[in-house]
Amino acid sequence: MTKKNIFIVGLDEFNKKLLQQLPQAAECEFHAALDISDIRNVQSYDMQHLIDKAIGRMESFEGSIDGVATYYDFPGTVLVPILARRFGLPGPDLESVLRCEHKYWSRLEQKEVIPEHIPMFQPFDPFDEQGFEKLRLLPPFWIKPIKSFKSFLSFRINDELEYWEATDKIRKSIALIDEPFRYLLQNYAQVPYEIAHMHESCLAESPIGGLQCTLEGYSFKGELVGYGIVDSVQEKISSSFARYQYPSILPLEIQHRIMDTARKAITRIGMDNSAFNIEFFYDQTAQQVYLLEINPRISQAHTDLFAKVHGHSHLSIMVDLCLGRKPRILERNGPFSVAGHFMLRTFEDGRIVQVPDQGQLDKVREKFPGTQMKILVRQGDRLSELLALQDSYSYELANIIIGGMDGSNLLEKYNHVLDILSFKIDKEEYIAEI
């Protein structure tokens, strides 16, 4: 059987192994349109160079080119439709992806169909010396770049002083994503002039809160399907995530409301033949569902959660879609009833003195089979100098992905893992709290 060749933007070893465990792996080979090192931990994004490099790799490939996909945010999500268009492959159109990714444009579209499910919002220029005075929102509110991910340069503002402190940080770093994103808006897409050339580069939004979750779904030939909801559990002392947990414990009635809201938003945006994940809040006091943001891809942070519960990851949804066919249903064939993706964090800057050694990692895997660990720092690293796009209030040390019988069993296992793994920062051992 001749295998189909699928090119991944941002191929990495962790997810390559999960791709090779899919049912579709028997008929597919996976190749890197771009490596993970091309799009993560980089000093800058030269979009034209990345586009040319990916096209060059695919054009020089001697076999058939059957699909292109990504599980990573910018620039992965915007490169996929460009490459799909270039090679005549299935995929979403670039303009619909940009309507998701441009936070202000996306809010304008959402306001047309789900106004009761979004916060108040206003674009602003972080370089404007009268910026705070021009905002119509009263503190507290959130500010963030019009294009960002992983909460990079996202800040909660409680007063004017915090606004100026936050915008000072934004001014220093916003060009990393804003400039290449504007390059695409102005050179590769049919975007309204007032969006492509808007002066404002940030968005202010009134706060929304409650229980946070992410709907994983897809649109195929106009049919929208939601196939799983993952709970996003925050740290006790900050807005940073402590873990993702699947399946969701939200009431089914709320899950249905989330899906109905998502269907209206995606239909308005016009995205088709694509996976998506949409972040929501469920405010229990107001009994209301609020949409936070739309991401035109599966969430790679959730891949092993689905694998532990379903027997293989939801990368299978991405693969079927990029081949132009309706995704197969995810069965509950996994070894665990529940799974958690824990983000081990520290909230203070420091230099890494010690990270877990191979013996500690092996001990965890022996004691808790199936546990996956990604150590994100190295000995000698200064946390504040890490190139990885961190959120604004913490530094990730490791990702630990565990399966369990139920939520209590999951937390018990995680605490045992922390007893085994040893991180030291500035000669003081860091202990995570969940």
Side-chain angles (χ1 to χ4, degrees), residues 298-417:
I298 70 160
S299 171
Q300 68 90 24
H302 299 160
T303 51
D304 201 43
L305 300 182
F306 279 82
K308 284 177 165 42
V309 174
H310 293 283
H312 62 81
S313 75
H314 64 324
L315 288 166
S316 65
I317 303 290
M318 178 191 79
V319 169
D320 280 336
L321 288 168
C322 81
L323 292 174
R325 62 195 189 193
K326 184 175 181 178
R328 62 194 72 182
I329 295 173
L330 293 174
E331 304 287 350
R332 287 287 186 94
N333 295 324
F336 301 103
S337 299
V338 64
H341 178 138
F342 293 82
M343 285 144 279
L344 181 62
R345 300 179 185 272
T346 182
F347 296 88
E348 296 180 359
D349 190 16
R351 191 171 299 279
I352 301 296
V353 177
Q354 178 181 317
V355 297
D357 58 30
Q358 191 59 49
Q360 292 175 355
L361 299 178
D362 291 341
K363 185 176 180 180
V364 169
R365 294 188 181 101
E366 180 181 355
K367 188 173 181 65
F368 303 110
T371 297
Q372 298 281 355
M373 291 164 287
K374 294 182 186 179
I375 307 302
L376 305 178
V377 293
R378 297 176 297 181
Q379 186 174 337
D381 282 348
R382 182 79 176 182
L383 292 171
S384 60
E385 297 173 356
L386 293 177
L387 287 174
L389 296 171
Q390 303 279 354
D391 76 22
S392 300
Y393 296 103
S394 69
Y395 305 98
E396 279 189 68
L397 303 178
N399 295 161
I400 302 165
I401 311 171
I402 305 172
M405 295 180 295
D406 54 33
S408 296
N409 179 241
L410 202 64
L411 295 177
E412 182 181 352
K413 284 186 176 182
Y414 179 59
N415 286 323
H416 282 309
V417 171

Side-chain angles (χ1 to χ4, degrees), residues 25 35 38 86 132 176 183 187 189 259 271 277 307 320 353 392:
D35 296 299
D38 292 315
R86 171 67 176 76
F132 186 81
L176 175 64
Y183 177 83
N187 294 278
M259 186 59 211
M271 190 175 66
N277 74 83
D320 280 336
V353 177
S392 300

Side-chain angles (χ1 to χ4, degrees), residues 284-300:
Q284 295 170 290
T285 303
Q287 287 290 299
Q288 182 62 287
V289 166
Y290 294 102
L291 190 154
L292 180 60
E293 67 179 35
I294 303 171
N295 303 298
R297 56 178 173 84
I298 70 160
S299 171
Q300 68 90 24

Side-chain angles (χ1 to χ4, degrees), residues 98-223:
L98 293 173
R99 278 193 289 272
C100 295
E101 302 242 322
H102 192 294
K103 295 184 187 298
Y104 176 61
W105 193 11
S106 188
R107 284 298 194 207
L108 290 177
E109 297 295 324
Q110 295 163 31
K111 188 178 180 180
E112 294 297 316
V113 289
I114 53 168
E116 69 276 21
H117 298 291
I118 63 174
M120 294 183 290
F121 61 96
Q122 179 184 346
F124 71 94
D125 177 9
F127 296 91
D128 188 344
E129 296 300 332
Q130 285 78 46
F132 186 81
E133 300 170 17
K134 295 178 181 178
L135 287 175
R136 297 186 301 273
L137 301 179
L138 295 176
F141 54 80
W142 284 87
I143 62 173
K144 62 190 78 173
I146 276 174
K147 175 55 197 161
S148 181
F149 58 92
K150 288 190 73 174
S151 299
F152 179 57
L153 300 179
S154 177
F155 299 93
R156 181 182 171 94
I157 305 301
N158 293 300
D159 54 42
E160 184 174 357
L161 177 60
E162 288 188 0
Y163 172 85
W164 293 117
E165 289 175 344
T167 52
D168 182 59
K169 295 177 182 178
I170 289 173
R171 291 175 184 183
K172 294 174 181 177
S173 302
I174 192 170
L176 175 64
I177 298 178
D178 184 67
E179 289 184 359
F181 188 62
R182 285 178 183 269
Y183 177 83
L184 289 177
L185 289 169
Q186 296 170 10
N187 294 278
Y188 273 87
Q190 299 295 319
V191 176
Y193 183 88
E194 61 273 19
I195 295 294
H197 296 272
M198 64 185 292
H199 186 63
E200 301 90 345
S201 57
C202 284
L203 190 67
E205 295 189 336
S206 59
I208 52 178
L211 301 176
Q212 191 167 355
C213 66
T214 300
L215 169 69
E216 294 275 3
Y218 66 84
S219 178
F220 178 72
K221 294 185 177 179
E223 179 186 6

Side-chain angles (χ1 to χ4, degrees), residues 275-289:
F276 58 79
N277 74 83
I278 307 181
E279 298 173 50
F280 282 93
F281 278 102
Y282 167 51
D283 186 328
Q284 295 170 290
T285 303
Q287 287 290 299
Q288 182 62 287
V289 166

